[in-house]
Structure formats: structure tokens, C-alpha cells
Amino acid sequence: MRKIFSIPLGADFISELAGIISEDNAIFSDIAVVFAGHRPSLYLSKELLARKKEPFYAPRYFTISEFVDYSVRKKYPFFTDSEPVDAIWSMYRLLHTLPPFNHHPFQKMNFGKFFYW
């Protein structure tokens, strides 16, 4: 069953998250945790080990970009990333078609100047 938890601001995030993961003798290897970067997963593993006090298979840790990549490739296994220049060109062309960007300074830039932004 999928659950959504809210951790209040000012709380010890890693400790609260470890408490949520540890409740009900959950199987850690069935859990995925998404962080903004890699470092928080080290602290969470340390906290989980302190609570469990025995070896375990850790949850699957992802950064946001790793999670998006994993999710897309799970549904579309043959998906390939576009080249950076192609992606920037697509963003440049998209910017010129979206009404919220009318009169935006980016629309006045040629692709060469936009590329560095």
C-alpha cells in the first residue's frame, strides 16, 4: 500500500524519516527514497542501522534525476537521452511557442546567446 507522510518543518528530517521507514517492521529493500542529492542517503543509512542494530538490505536510494530516469526507463526500456545541444534547441523552440513567454527577454535572443543560459 502506498502512503504519503508529512514531516513538519523544524523536525529532525532524517530521524523522522527513519522512524517512518522503521515502523511496522517494514522490509527496507521494498522501499525507495528520493533525495535531492546523494549525501542524505548516507545519514539515513546510519540512522536506520542505529535503530535496527543488525545487518539489513537498505532501501533503494535515488536522486531526483536518477528517479526520473529510472521511472522513464522502466516504462520505456529503449528510451535514450537526447544530446544536450538537441535538448537546448528543443527548449529554445518551445520557448517561442508558449504564450507566457511572450515579450520575455529570452525570445529576443538568438540561439547562440540562449545556449549559454
Side-chain angles (χ1 to χ4, degrees):
M1 181 174 169
R2 296 179 179 165
K3 298 177 184 179
I4 297 175
F5 296 94
S6 176
I7 298 175
L9 291 174
D12 180 354
F13 180 75
I14 296 295
S15 180
E16 292 284 331
L17 184 57
I20 291 168
I21 292 172
S22 298
E23 73 181 16
D24 300 329
N25 293 322
I27 300 170
F28 293 167
S29 61
D30 290 345
I31 297 171
V33 182
V34 180
F35 288 117
H38 289 285
R39 186 172 291 164
S41 63
L42 301 173
Y43 296 110
L44 181 58
S45 289
K46 182 179 176 184
E47 182 70 23
L48 290 171
L49 183 59
R51 289 170 185 253
K52 191 121 173 139
K53 298 184 188 275
E54 61 184 38
F56 60 89
Y57 288 106
R60 178 87 188 260
Y61 299 117
F62 293 99
T63 63
I64 295 169
S65 59
E66 289 170 345
F67 181 71
V68 169
D69 189 56
Y70 173 82
S71 299
V72 168
R73 291 181 195 278
K74 190 171 182 178
K75 184 163 178 134
Y76 305 104
F78 300 108
F79 177 81
T80 57
D81 293 333
S82 62
E83 293 296 320
V85 174
D86 293 333
I88 294 169
W89 175 254
S90 296
M91 288 173 44
Y92 177 75
R93 296 300 305 149
L94 184 63
L95 181 101
H96 285 82
T97 62
L98 297 174
F101 287 98
N102 288 344
H103 310 295
H104 192 279
F106 282 150
Q107 284 203 342
K108 295 176 185 161
M109 292 181 180
N110 62 26
F111 181 68
K113 288 185 179 181
F114 178 82
F115 182 85
Y116 293 102
W117 277 94

